[in-house]
Amino acid sequence: MGYALTFEGLRDLAEGAAVLGTGGGGDPYIGRLLVEQQLKAGRTVTIIDAAELPDDALVIPSAMMGAPTVFIEKLPSGAGNIAALRALEAHLGRTAAATMPIECGGLNSMMPLLLGAQLGLPVVDADGMGRAFPELQMETFAVYGVSGSPMAIASDHGDTGIINATDNRRMEWLARAMTIQMGGASYISDYPMDAATVRRTAVPGTLTLARRLGAALRQARAEHADPFQALAAALSGTLYTHGLVLFRGKVTDVDRKTVDGFARGHVTLADLADPRDQLEITFQNEHLVARRNGRVVAIVPDLICTLNSETGTPVTTEALSYGQRLTVFAISTPDLMRTPDALDCFGPTAFGLADPYTPVEHLTAVP
Amino acid sequence: MGYALTFEGLRDLAEGAAVLGTGGGGDPYIGRLLVEQQLKAGRTVTIIDAAELPDDALVIPSAMMGAPTVFIEKLPSGAGNIAALRALEAHLGRTAAATMPIECGGLNSMMPLLLGAQLGLPVVDADGMGRAFPELQMETFAVYGVSGSPMAIASDHGDTGIINATDNRRMEWLARAMTIQMGGASYISDYPMDAATVRRTAVPGTLTLARRLGAALRQARAEHADPFQALAAALSGTLYTHGLVLFRGKVTDVDRKTVDGFARGHVTLADLADPRDQLEITFQNEHLVARRNGRVVAIVPDLICTLNSETGTPVTTEALSYGQRLTVFAISTPDLMRTPDALDCFGPTAFGLADPYTPVEHLTAVP
């Protein structure tokens, strides 16, 4: 049943998840190290399809919450993820049959693998964002009627909490404050649901997709091939139909602040040959909108990825710095993330952006 | 068993609790109205001695949390107090045999009475502060080894939470953030304990004391007697051995801000005959220290009460305003609140004050 993750598969998955993280989700490097430690200790990460679980099996997603800028200053020890799961199990009076990611981007693609290895729990190959988003209500689970509450939250210090909010936005609002008090980072278990509901509401196969994207980048490097063509090829035939280069340039400005528990700001890139040709990306943990000379060329929930122009290595928002040569690569989101209800939940207006949502493949791309 | 509170007893208790609230705890007026509504609807508030409960009976205290400045702008509906109690009962898997106040000051002397009337639960005649304090770890319960966690928190909107903190300070820290997110006010149930522990750690008889102080003020008014002499007389023979007038004057300045979920500031009074003779009080929800011309004349945990000079009516920190004629009345705290452990928990240093604790009866008082 399912497959066991190898060391190479883990490294590929981490890199692919950083691509899908669209600049956010936290750098998966730290999480990858924690999972590697488990594999070295002889433990196993088993990735399964939701179809392998009985309809009524309880699945409890697992994640970290907080600003990625905090995780790089205060490395997560991984101690709180078991505490969060156990607190939610105790509250529900039921035991989880599996865990899964709430987002397939960055660090949070690793945390369920860590928990799975620690406890011998299988990890469902799916997630609730199909990428990374900054807030807990921004889940396909939520769009399709699942309550995030009751959720559990834990610190690295042994504190735990349960939140039963009247809606998923209030859950985010209350959990964000707890996270800030816990030092800007917390471990959470939320959106507990049965496997039938996972199948109905999750974006399927995203852990395997991330692994394939990472493998494509690895192989392109080995073969001195174009990493962006490799990514586009790996995406074709998946739910993410389009992958295209939006811009290549040099970072000329980064404006980033950690406010209200988020990393918020802008990054500006200029074309190397024509510095008047500029692309500006606005982010809240994740990249939200890319504007080329003022015109929108990609907007949330489509994925805007900042990658090293030479190697295709993803660069997260907290690692952006002046002078980096980056290629901005866009990926179209799956159809279940483009419905009116989905756009209400995590489209442009959900982030206070006035621009309408237009699918990235309908906006002009640079070849 | 115990006694049922009358309308007159309730009014007396509310006024006496505002005296013991030392400027804080929130104005009991709103809470009194909520309890009166219950009495008018035929419900009963039964006040019992902790000795009347079996050793292992579960007592769950009930309170509101937040800045008093918020309560006067956004009246509590009382809807969340049952939710908080039920959330904690569900978490513990046990039912409360009684409730009680965590502080005997102001609004929080009323909230357990409201809950008791709503659910037919007796209210234990005791509390954990012997007055009001601004923070949840400032409890005799905590001083004498009781954990505040697990605690429950609820909003007026139907959200609930459970906090299991590693210590009572962290519980305060986490609950304060939830309270702020809940709009600056929340309903809490914390320090669940058995009746034997109540008897060991609580300040006994404070609801009845508050009722007697309120009755003393009422009778003094009816008889045109000095309300401050009436208060001092009512205190003699209780655990609160000394009651004395520190200063009489006019408010010449109020500096008050609602920050970090607290009402913080200073009030300055000047003597009517000699305006150079001034008393300044520093507060954090409650009055913390009174300095007459720079010299400390009373300091926490002794009680510093601001009362209308004519009527003896208590004036809470959120109601202080320029021009008021006030008498500053100090009350010595009971001995169990003056031990080294107690002073560590809620003495001057717990509030960042450099001045040492000196019992108010050893400092010079104005006759």
Side-chain angles (χ1 to χ4, degrees):
Chain A
M1 171 161 130
Y3 65 88
L5 205 57
T6 63
F7 280 94
E8 187 179 72
L10 173 65
R11 280 192 296 274
D12 289 345
L13 200 166
E15 182 148 38
V19 174
L20 294 172
T22 75
D27 190 326
Y29 177 68
I30 304 149
R32 197 195 82 192
L33 294 182
L34 293 171
V35 181
E36 277 182 356
Q37 226 173 22
Q38 295 289 321
L39 296 184
K40 283 176 189 158
R43 298 203 185 84
T44 305
V45 176
T46 306
I47 295 180
I48 62 168
D49 193 281
E52 299 179 60
L53 290 168
D55 275 8
D56 63 349
L58 177 64
V59 179
I60 298 186
S62 173
M64 288 201 74
M65 184 169 188
T69 36
V70 171
F71 300 135
I72 54 171
E73 294 192 9
K74 195 182 120 194
L75 299 185
S77 75
N81 62 347
I82 297 175
L85 180 85
R86 294 301 189 218
L88 190 54
E89 286 181 332
H91 183 78
L92 294 168
R94 292 183 64 193
T95 304
T99 186
M100 69 181 288
I102 59 168
E103 61 182 337
C104 64
L107 178 64
N108 272 342
S109 61
M110 296 288 111
M111 298 312 291
L113 306 182
L114 177 64
L115 188 67
Q118 287 168 318
L119 300 180
L121 267 186
V123 183
V124 176
D125 189 4
D127 79 286
M129 293 183 177
R131 44 167 292 166
F133 282 124
E135 301 182 13
L136 296 186
Q137 79 278 9
M138 295 172 172
E139 292 280 344
T140 55
F141 311 145
V143 171
Y144 299 108
V146 183
S147 168
S149 294
M151 71 166 281
I153 186 165
S155 74
D156 258 331
H157 309 288
D159 313 292
T160 61
I162 296 285
I163 296 171
N164 252 310
T166 47
D167 64 44
N168 296 326
R169 264 173 206 279
R170 288 188 63 83
M171 178 184 78
E172 155 69 30
W173 173 246
L174 296 170
R176 187 70 50 183
M178 292 277 274
T179 298
I180 293 169
Q181 299 298 85
M182 285 175 168
S186 68
Y187 301 85
I188 61 169
S189 283
D190 60 353
Y191 291 95
M193 62 188 127
D194 60 32
T197 306
V198 172
R199 291 195 287 274
R200 183 173 64 79
T201 66
V203 186
T206 47
L207 287 174
T208 296
L209 173 67
R211 189 169 57 77
R212 288 196 185 137
L213 294 180
L217 286 175
R218 173 171 50 79
Q219 283 155 16
R221 277 177 216 132
E223 297 160 10
H224 305 288
D226 179 340
F228 306 101
Q229 287 183 5
L231 281 179
L235 288 164
S236 78
T238 71
L239 297 176
Y240 299 73
T241 48
H242 299 75
L244 39 102
V245 171
L246 289 183
F247 196 80
R248 294 177 204 269
K250 190 185 86 164
V251 175
T252 57
D253 191 43
V254 181
D255 168 21
R256 180 180 49 223
K257 287 182 185 158
T258 305
V259 280
D260 301 330
F262 296 109
R264 293 178 187 271
H266 305 270
V267 57
T268 308
L269 292 97
D271 185 276
L272 288 174
D274 176 9
R276 290 167 307 176
D277 186 10
Q278 300 198 337
L279 186 93
E280 190 195 59
I281 303 175
T282 301
F283 55 81
Q284 176 188 344
N285 289 9
E286 284 75 32
H287 297 317
L288 300 179
V289 58
R291 291 187 174 88
R292 186 170 186 171
N293 307 316
R295 195 175 64 79
V296 171
V297 291
I299 192 162
V300 70
D302 283 328
L303 289 71
I304 300 164
C305 313
T306 41
L307 310 169
N308 179 302
S309 288
E310 286 295 309
T311 61
T313 306
V315 178
T316 52
T317 50
E318 70 275 22
L320 290 168
S321 65
Y322 178 82
Q324 287 170 333
R325 264 68 168 171
L326 299 182
T327 293
V328 181
F329 188 81
I331 301 175
S332 59
T333 48
D335 287 345
L336 87 162
M337 296 178 63
R338 290 173 160 189
T339 64
D341 285 348
L343 293 177
D344 275 354
C345 186
F346 43 61
T349 52
F351 294 95
L353 298 171
D355 313 277
Y357 173 68
T358 310
V360 66
E361 63 271 27
H362 299 172
L363 296 162
T364 311
V366 176
Chain B
M1 174 161 129
Y3 64 89
L5 205 57
T6 62
F7 280 93
E8 186 177 75
L10 174 65
R11 280 192 294 274
D12 289 344
L13 199 165
E15 181 148 41
V19 174
L20 295 172
T22 73
D27 190 325
Y29 177 67
I30 304 150
R32 196 195 82 193
L33 293 184
L34 292 171
V35 182
E36 278 183 353
Q37 225 171 22
Q38 295 289 321
L39 296 184
K40 282 176 189 159
R43 299 204 184 85
T44 306
V45 175
T46 306
I47 295 180
I48 61 168
D49 194 282
E52 298 179 59
L53 291 168
D55 275 7
D56 62 350
L58 177 63
V59 180
I60 298 187
S62 175
M64 287 201 76
M65 183 168 189
T69 37
V70 172
F71 300 136
I72 53 170
E73 295 193 8
K74 195 183 119 191
L75 298 186
S77 74
N81 62 347
I82 297 176
L85 180 86
R86 294 301 189 217
L88 190 54
E89 285 181 332
H91 183 79
L92 295 168
R94 292 182 65 193
T95 305
T99 187
M100 69 181 288
I102 61 169
E103 60 183 339
C104 64
L107 179 64
N108 272 341
S109 62
M110 295 288 112
M111 297 314 291
L113 305 182
L114 177 64
L115 188 67
Q118 287 168 317
L119 300 180
L121 268 185
V123 183
V124 177
D125 188 5
D127 78 287
M129 294 183 175
R131 44 167 289 167
F133 282 125
E135 301 181 15
L136 296 185
Q137 78 279 8
M138 295 173 170
E139 292 280 343
T140 55
F141 310 145
V143 171
Y144 298 106
V146 183
S147 168
S149 294
M151 72 166 279
I153 185 164
S155 74
D156 258 331
H157 309 287
D159 313 291
T160 60
I162 296 286
I163 296 171
N164 250 310
T166 48
D167 64 43
N168 296 327
R169 265 174 205 279
R170 288 189 63 82
M171 178 184 78
E172 155 68 29
W173 173 246
L174 295 170
R176 187 68 53 183
M178 292 277 274
T179 297
I180 292 169
Q181 299 297 85
M182 285 175 168
S186 68
Y187 301 85
I188 61 170
S189 282
D190 60 353
Y191 291 95
M193 63 188 126
D194 59 32
T197 306
V198 172
R199 290 194 287 273
R200 182 173 63 79
T201 67
V203 186
T206 46
L207 286 174
T208 297
L209 173 67
R211 190 169 56 78
R212 287 195 185 138
L213 294 180
L217 285 175
R218 173 171 51 80
Q219 283 155 15
R221 279 179 214 131
E223 296 160 10
H224 304 285
D226 180 338
F228 307 101
Q229 286 184 6
L231 281 179
L235 286 164
S236 78
T238 74
L239 297 176
Y240 299 72
T241 48
H242 298 77
L244 40 102
V245 170
L246 289 184
F247 196 80
R248 295 177 202 268
K250 189 184 87 162
V251 175
T252 57
D253 191 43
V254 181
D255 168 21
R256 179 179 52 222
K257 287 181 186 160
T258 305
V259 281
D260 302 331
F262 295 109
R264 291 178 187 273
H266 307 269
V267 57
T268 308
L269 292 98
D271 186 277
L272 288 173
D274 175 8
R276 290 167 308 174
D277 186 7
Q278 300 198 337
L279 186 92
E280 188 195 59
I281 304 176
T282 301
F283 55 81
Q284 176 189 344
N285 289 7
E286 284 75 34
H287 297 316
L288 300 178
V289 57
R291 290 186 175 88
R292 184 170 188 171
N293 307 316
R295 195 175 64 80
V296 172
V297 291
I299 192 163
V300 68
D302 284 328
L303 288 70
I304 300 164
C305 313
T306 41
L307 310 170
N308 179 302
S309 287
E310 286 294 308
T311 61
T313 305
V315 178
T316 52
T317 50
E318 71 274 20
L320 290 168
S321 65
Y322 178 82
Q324 286 169 334
R325 265 66 168 173
L326 299 182
T327 293
V328 181
F329 188 81
I331 301 174
S332 58
T333 48
D335 286 344
L336 88 163
M337 296 179 61
R338 290 174 161 189
T339 64
D341 286 347
L343 292 177
D344 276 353
C345 187
F346 43 61
T349 53
F351 295 94
L353 298 171
D355 315 276
Y357 173 68
T358 310
V360 65
E361 63 271 26
H362 299 173
L363 296 163
T364 311
V366 176

